[in-house]
Amino acid sequence: MTHHGAAAPPCPAVFLDKDGTLVVDVPYNADPALLRFTLRALPALQALQRAGYALVVVSNQHGLALGRFSAEQFETLRRALHDKLVAEAGVTLDGFYFCPHAPDAGCDCRKPAPGLLLQAAGALHLDLARSWMVGDILNDVEAGRRAGCRSVLLDVGNETQWQLSPQRLPHHRAKDLFDAAAFILGSDDMGENQTLRHDAAPVVSHEVLS
């Protein structure tokens, strides 16, 4: 009789908003030359990946619906972001999910709806209850909570409306992605990786995936 091993348990993820959280927000940007990571983002991602979290970008990209850039241009940008993460930090994203619809389209994937996170969880076998959503506005917080995740708001000045409700209250407010990662690792007690040094610098890898 052949005994099959049990399926691997779902893993926790850190869902990352793209513009204003992972990279500096340049409105409707599709130019890879303008990609810049936010302050201390790279050592944060390195620590989270070492600790065993899946790293998944979830992003509203209504510039596609508005014709500000094409699907081909956005795919070029996505690939450039992937390659830049690998080259500068040795970090590989586990997933990249985006909503291409206009704000008034009524879709279920545009944040604050949880559709992108739910889609990623199903495809990547993620444990939403053990996962985190990190973003720079309260729509990110709400999307995370509605998906069953915990949430961290980057308090960097990008939220201007402050329309609060129980679903829009973050579990933590952080000054940048590195601060968010330190809180997440400490909260989840992820072994030796739970403590981040505040002077940590990214470990540079020159490997670039083709």
Side-chain angles (χ1 to χ4, degrees), residues 51-90:
Y53 292 93
L55 300 177
V56 183
V57 169
V58 286
S59 179
N60 292 344
Q61 291 295 327
H62 59 272
L64 286 163
L66 299 179
R68 298 297 185 95
F69 47 82
S70 68
E72 292 76 16
Q73 288 173 313
F74 187 69
E75 175 60 14
T76 297
L77 184 79
R78 186 196 67 78
R79 289 181 179 273
L81 176 61
H82 172 274
D83 291 347
K84 190 175 177 68
L85 280 169
V86 172
E88 295 187 16

Side-chain angles (χ1 to χ4, degrees), residues 17-26 28-29 35 38 59-61 74 77 136 140 158:
D17 172 59
K18 174 178 166 284
D19 300 304
T21 299
L22 178 59
V23 298
V24 176
D25 186 13
V26 178
Y28 302 114
N29 177 48
L35 283 175
T38 55
S59 179
N60 292 344
Q61 291 295 327
F74 187 69
L77 184 79
D136 61 325
D140 298 315
N158 293 340

Side-chain angles (χ1 to χ4, degrees), residues 35-155:
L35 283 175
R36 298 288 185 275
F37 293 115
T38 55
L39 182 66
R40 303 197 300 171
L42 296 183
L45 297 185
Q46 289 173 329
L48 291 168
Q49 195 152 75
R50 283 196 306 268
Y53 292 93
L55 300 177
V56 183
V57 169
V58 286
S59 179
N60 292 344
Q61 291 295 327
H62 59 272
L64 286 163
L66 299 179
R68 298 297 185 95
F69 47 82
S70 68
E72 292 76 16
Q73 288 173 313
F74 187 69
E75 175 60 14
T76 297
L77 184 79
R78 186 196 67 78
R79 289 181 179 273
L81 176 61
H82 172 274
D83 291 347
K84 190 175 177 68
L85 280 169
V86 172
E88 295 187 16
V91 167
T92 302
L93 293 175
D94 295 276
F96 190 112
Y97 294 80
F98 63 96
C99 169
H101 306 113
D104 58 356
C107 66
D108 62 1
C109 56
R110 180 178 173 81
K111 297 176 292 182
L116 294 177
L117 289 81
L118 298 177
Q119 181 183 351
L124 302 175
H125 196 48
L126 304 176
D127 186 344
L128 289 171
R130 295 168 59 212
S131 297
W132 296 80
M133 174 72 218
V134 182
D136 61 325
I137 62 174
L138 292 178
N139 280 354
D140 298 315
V141 170
E142 182 176 341
R145 279 191 173 272
R146 288 171 66 180
C149 301
R150 294 159 294 174
S151 64
V152 178
L153 176 69
L154 299 191
D155 204 356

